[in-house]
Structures are given as structure tokens and as C-alpha cells.
Amino acid sequence: MNISIKKTGKHFKPDADGNKRIIEPRLKEDYTVDEMKKVIDNMYSLWHGVTFRNGELGDNYLKPETLFRSSKIDGYLNANPSTANNQRQRYGKRAPINEPMPEWFKREQEQEKQGKSDQGNWMDQLPDESEVQ
């Protein structure tokens, strides 16, 4: 099997020991070459150009030891690349939430700027032990 991920320009030597150790067991488990190609296509659609939460680019994970790992290949084979555009936010950095700031928070921030925090520490507002029966 020629391990080539043409979309990314990556090429992996099929005879390299590391690649053989990953791919040959999947072939013995009756995964076909076409299924392995589908895994590559599916995950390329979901990961290409996406920055993961760990800061790594998704393209860095498009390699045999990730794509054909025994614990992951079924999930990758069944991934739905047609939702790739919707899934991108799941993997990458999310856009900021554009909600208006609550009025109470604005007032609290303004008081803190002016040094007039009237509430103090929330623990200071708890009743003393003598007040609790």
C-alpha cells in the first residue's frame, strides 16, 4: 500500500517499520485499502487547516500512526465529513460569544474602577457564628 496523503502533500514510505506496524494489523483485521483511504479523506475534511485546543495544527495528525490506530480507526472511518464546516469549531478555537454584558456586572466593574466596591468580599456578608443557631 502506498501511503500517500496527496491533499496535504505528505508521503509516507510503505516499507518503513513504523508504518508497517500500524497498517498491517488493520489489513489483517479485514480493513480494506479503500476503507483506509476513506479514513484519510474523512479526517482530512475535518482536520485540515484547523488548530486544535492544544495549539497543534490538525494537519500534523494526518499520519499513519494517528489515522490507523486500532482504538480510533472505526470512529474515523465512520466520521461524517459532510459536516466538516460545522465541526471545525469543535476542534478549533471558538469565536467569542457576543452577548451583552449584564447591567449588574457593568455597575460592579465601574465601582471597582472608582474604588467604591460596596459589597466587599462575599464571605464578609455571611452571618457570624453567633447569629446562626
Side-chain angles (χ1 to χ4, degrees):
M1 176 177 170
N2 183 16
I3 310 163
S4 181
I5 305 177
K6 294 177 185 175
K7 292 178 180 179
T8 64
K10 294 182 179 186
H11 180 78
F12 298 93
K13 295 181 181 179
D15 296 330
D17 287 339
N19 294 334
K20 279 184 177 179
R21 278 195 307 262
I22 298 295
I23 294 169
E24 286 180 357
R26 302 302 82 80
L27 293 172
K28 288 178 182 174
E29 293 170 358
D30 293 327
Y31 287 100
T32 66
V33 172
D34 286 338
E35 287 175 323
M36 293 179 139
K37 288 179 181 179
K38 184 176 178 184
V39 166
I40 293 168
D41 289 340
N42 287 351
M43 300 322 293
Y44 176 85
S45 295
L46 290 170
W47 291 349
H48 174 65
V50 176
T51 302
F52 291 157
R53 289 184 184 147
N54 64 2
E56 288 283 329
L57 190 60
D59 296 80
N60 294 341
Y61 292 94
L62 295 171
K63 53 190 176 183
E65 63 259 28
T66 305
L67 296 172
F68 307 128
R69 185 177 300 157
S70 64
S71 62
K72 299 288 185 179
I73 190 168
D74 276 334
Y76 295 160
L77 182 59
N78 292 302
N80 189 352
S82 66
T83 61
N85 290 335
N86 295 334
Q87 294 292 324
R88 286 186 181 271
Q89 288 298 325
R90 183 175 139 211
Y91 291 110
K93 296 192 185 260
R94 296 199 168 135
I97 298 171
N98 291 325
E99 292 182 2
M101 193 179 307
E103 289 300 319
W104 63 267
F105 189 75
K106 288 180 185 177
R107 284 191 305 273
E108 196 173 273
Q109 281 189 326
E110 188 59 38
Q111 288 175 352
E112 285 177 8
K113 283 182 187 175
Q114 296 174 2
K116 298 180 184 177
S117 181
D118 64 338
Q119 293 184 357
N121 186 329
W122 66 271
M123 291 182 68
D124 294 339
Q125 297 175 22
L126 296 175
D128 291 331
E129 285 184 32
S130 62
E131 297 173 346
V132 179
Q133 295 180 8

